Each structure stands twice: as structure tokens, then as C-alpha cells.
Amino acid sequence: MTVRDDVIAGVEDVLDADWSVRKGTVIPETDDVVLKNGAVRVDATYFYADLADSSTLGHQVDAEIAGRVIRAYLNAASRILRNYGGAIRSFDGDRVMAIYIGKSKNTDAARAALALNWAVDFVLAPALKTKWPDLRDVWTTKHGVGIDTGEALLVRGGVRDNNDLVSIGSAPNVAAKLSALRCADLHITDRVHDRLAESSKISSDGSESRWKTHDRIEVGGVNHRVYWSNYGWKP
């Protein structure tokens, strides 16, 4: 069989296979989902964290330094995501994605976002300034987090021995888009904000809201009401 025949057969197999969908009460690992036609439906909150302007970092800074900066950010993000109950399911360059489920999934994800903001402002940025003082001349330590909640379908994309989980649905798509916004550090939809515990909505001294209303943002032809924040939360 030629590669052309293999591609044609592979596409037909995927399109013709009937889904075998089950409801998920935990976030599956890749091997928990059947490659041929398996799918897990979850009610989940999606969290994307993205280091800002990594293109400038990659072009203007030595590759080994840029690599350390990106790894340091992903290291901090991963530790915080796991601490607040997130299941990390994807890394893509300078971006990490985690999934939260359960009754407190929105509050857990929001607290992780606030904690990561603290880590960027009070741990990562000062450490980079000390180690490479000239770095700030070409690049500023910034990041973005996007969070949305809703039903999603987890499937395996790829071929045997080369595949990974893929999340399909509005929530993962919107969260990914929000993480790329640069008008503030953190963005969450009203679906997340309306389900937050009060302690995650109000500043520690009770004087103001941690989250401000944003203009409606269009993703995929749908307008979403979004809240933003530059607050931090010391974990």
C-alpha cells in the first residue's frame, strides 16, 4: 500500500467509524480512550496559560536563554495547576492546558490563574531581572490565562504510536482564544465568573472585586461576556 492509499484509507476509517462515547467522571489519560472511535464526554473547566510575545523572545534572545525562560514559566504553571487540582493534558511551545472537573472546578481554576499571576510578577520576573538584567531591554515578562467551562468531547487524534488527546467543544476553544488576549493578564467567561466562590471574586481586604467586566468578545461567531483581572493570589 502506498502512502496515498494509506492516507485515503485512514480518512475513510475515521469518518465511517461510529463513536463509542462514555461520560467521564475523571479526566482520562490518553490510553484510557480507544484510538479508533473512543470518546469521553466531560463537563469541565478548561485553563490555558500562554507566555506572551515568545516570538520576540525566540528571535532576539539566545536560544538557550529563551529555552530556560519558557521552561521556568511552564515549570511554575505546572506546579500551580497541579496544586489546585488541574489535570495537565497538553503542552504546545510556551503554552500549557489543564482541565478541571468537579463541583469546585471554576473556583479551583480561577485560583490557579491568580496564583500563576503572582508567580509571574513576584517570582519569575524578579528572577529573570537578577539573572539577565539586559533581557528587559528586548522582552517584557508577561503572560495570559484564559478560562471557560462547559461540555467537551475528548478523543484521540493521530495514528498508532503517534497520538494524543484532543478536546472538542466551545469551552476549550474559547479558553485558548482568551489566553492570547493581552489587554489584561487573566480572562474568564461569565460562565466561570458566575460560579466562583465569593473569596475568589473579592480582594483579600474586601474592598473591591478581583474581576472587572470586559467588552463582549467574539469567538467562532459567538459573543461571550468576559471578565478580566491583573490580581495575584499568593499560593
Side-chain angles (χ1 to χ4, degrees):
M1 180 180 289
T2 66
V3 173
R4 181 181 63 184
D5 295 333
D6 196 29
V7 169
I8 293 171
V11 169
E12 289 178 349
D13 284 346
V14 170
L15 296 182
D16 290 342
D18 292 329
W19 286 114
S20 177
V21 182
R22 61 181 173 84
K23 185 174 178 59
T25 56
V26 297
I27 303 302
E29 301 286 351
T30 301
D31 290 342
D32 296 332
V33 182
V34 176
L35 176 59
K36 180 178 176 62
N37 64 342
V40 178
R41 195 179 303 279
V42 294
D43 181 12
T45 297
Y46 279 79
F47 179 117
Y48 279 84
D50 179 27
L51 189 65
D53 200 17
S54 59
S55 295
T56 296
L57 188 66
H59 285 86
Q60 300 293 329
V61 179
D62 178 82
E64 292 188 4
I65 294 176
R68 292 191 186 195
V69 172
I70 292 171
R71 287 188 63 215
Y73 175 72
L74 294 177
N75 187 290
S78 298
R79 293 176 186 275
I80 288 170
L81 288 169
R82 291 194 305 182
N83 180 69
Y84 287 94
I88 297 172
R89 286 297 179 269
S90 176
F91 290 95
D92 181 12
D94 61 354
R95 185 165 73 171
V96 58
M97 182 270 280
I99 308 173
Y100 288 80
I101 63 172
K103 293 181 179 179
S104 63
K105 58 184 179 292
N106 296 291
T107 295
D108 293 339
R111 287 179 176 172
L114 293 164
L116 181 55
N117 222 27
W118 169 85
V120 169
D121 290 343
F122 294 100
V123 180
L124 180 59
L128 295 180
K129 181 180 178 180
T130 298
K131 193 167 186 65
W132 298 296
D134 295 338
L135 179 62
R136 58 183 176 175
D137 293 337
V138 295
W139 182 78
T140 302
T141 309
K142 296 283 289 181
H143 77 136
V145 169
I147 305 174
D148 192 18
T149 191
E151 191 174 84
L153 197 67
L154 276 69
V155 303
R156 283 171 74 173
V159 295
R160 187 177 300 278
D161 299 326
N162 288 278
N163 59 82
D164 204 352
L165 287 180
V166 178
S167 293
I168 302 170
S170 176
N173 185 256
V174 170
K177 298 297 184 183
L178 294 183
S179 72
L181 297 179
R182 297 295 177 243
C183 43
D185 296 328
L186 316 177
H187 289 88
I188 64 177
T189 63
D190 59 344
R191 293 177 289 278
V192 174
H193 180 270
D194 293 348
R195 294 169 173 82
L196 295 182
E198 283 301 313
S199 61
S200 297
K201 290 183 178 181
I202 307 300
S203 61
S204 56
D205 61 5
S207 62
E208 63 177 339
S209 173
R210 296 179 188 270
W211 304 92
K212 310 296 183 184
T213 306
H214 200 293
D215 293 335
R216 289 184 178 271
I217 293 176
E218 182 181 322
V219 179
V222 178
N223 286 320
H224 300 269
R225 188 182 181 195
V226 173
Y227 289 77
W228 63 270
S229 179
N230 289 322
Y231 263 90
W233 179 307
K234 187 176 181 179

